[in-house]
Structures are given as C-alpha cells and as structure tokens.
C-alpha cells in the first residue's frame, strides 16, 4: 500500500529542464553550502527540476564534462517532499536525459563540508 501511495503522490509532478536562472539557490545550498561553488558550476550545467503546482520542489545540476561524461554536481529535494520518491524520480529523469544527450557515463563527485 505504501508504494501505491507514493506512485499516486508523484502523478501530479512535472519533471523538466529549466534555465539555471530559475534554479532555487536556497534549495541548491541545502546540498552544497558553498554559494561560490554553486554559482560557479550552475551556469555551465543543465538544470532539471521537479515542479508541483508551479513550485520547484526538487532541483538537480548536471555538468557536461566532455567525452560523453556528465557529472551530477547537486541534487536537492525540499524538506517537505523528502522520503516520498521525488529525488528518485528526478534522478531517473536525469539518467534518461543524459543517455538521450549521448552521455555514456554519469559520475557523482562527493565533497566534504565543515571543519
């Protein structure tokens, strides 16, 4: 029953590519607290979002690295929508879109934040 509920709650969501200008910086900073870094890669990235009733509830930045390689730089889901499958939905969209763009590899780099 829980899986059926998640699927039903995802049915009213739209996943799409947006301009980096439309990307909600506050949400991106939840995943990467360095604003300078986010601003640095954001304008060079393809940005995807999950939209519910006109509101961006999840966002992802994917940077083309050349040679059919893309790097997932940032992915964040608004707190009220976490653990509901929204991030998985967005990630699957990014994987499919990357393949459609000729991508052969999608990499995820990790960072260390804090002291």
């Amino acid at each position: 029953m829980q899986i059926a509920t998640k699927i039903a709650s995802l049915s009213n969501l739209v996943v799409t590519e947006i301009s980096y200008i439309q990307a909600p910086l506050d949400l991106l900073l939840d995943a990467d607290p360095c604003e300078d870094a986010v601003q640095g890669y954001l304008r060079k990235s393809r940005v995807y979002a999950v939209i519910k009733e006109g509101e961006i509830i999840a966002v992802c930045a994917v940077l083309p690295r050349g040679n059919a390689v893309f790097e997932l730089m940032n992915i964040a889901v608004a707190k009220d929508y976490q653990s509901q499958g929204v991030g998985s939905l967005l990630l699957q969209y990014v994987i499919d879109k990357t393949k459609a763009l000729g991508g052969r590899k999608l990499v995820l780099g990790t960072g260390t934040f804090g002291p």
Side-chain angles (χ1 to χ4, degrees), residues 94-111:
V94 167
I95 291 167
D96 294 344
K97 192 69 168 177
T98 300
K99 286 179 184 177
L101 292 169
R104 296 185 42 85
K105 186 184 284 188
L106 178 62
V107 296
L108 173 63
T110 60

Side-chain angles (χ1 to χ4, degrees), residues 6-84:
K6 283 186 179 183
I7 292 170
S9 68
L10 296 178
S11 65
N12 63 344
L13 304 179
V14 174
V15 186
T16 189
E17 186 167 1
I18 62 172
S19 164
Y20 77 90
I21 296 168
Q22 297 172 287
L25 187 59
D26 58 333
L27 190 53
L28 291 165
L29 291 173
D30 283 347
D32 183 349
C34 182
E35 186 171 346
D36 288 341
V38 172
Q39 294 287 5
Y41 61 71
L42 191 58
R43 35 182 88 95
K44 297 179 273 184
S45 297
R46 299 186 77 100
V47 181
Y48 304 98
V50 178
I51 301 169
K52 180 179 182 178
E53 298 172 359
E55 176 190 0
I56 295 174
I57 62 168
V59 66
C60 180
V62 179
L63 185 62
R65 290 293 191 185
N67 295 325
V69 176
F70 291 77
E71 183 174 356
L72 180 64
M73 300 299 292
N74 189 315
I75 186 167
V77 178
K79 286 180 180 45
D80 290 345
Y81 297 96
Q82 292 177 3
S83 299
Q84 298 177 37

Side-chain angles (χ1 to χ4, degrees), residues 10 75 77 84-95:
L10 296 178
I75 186 167
V77 178
Q84 298 177 37
V86 175
S88 296
L89 177 72
L90 179 55
L91 185 56
Q92 188 58 59
Y93 182 87
V94 167
I95 291 167

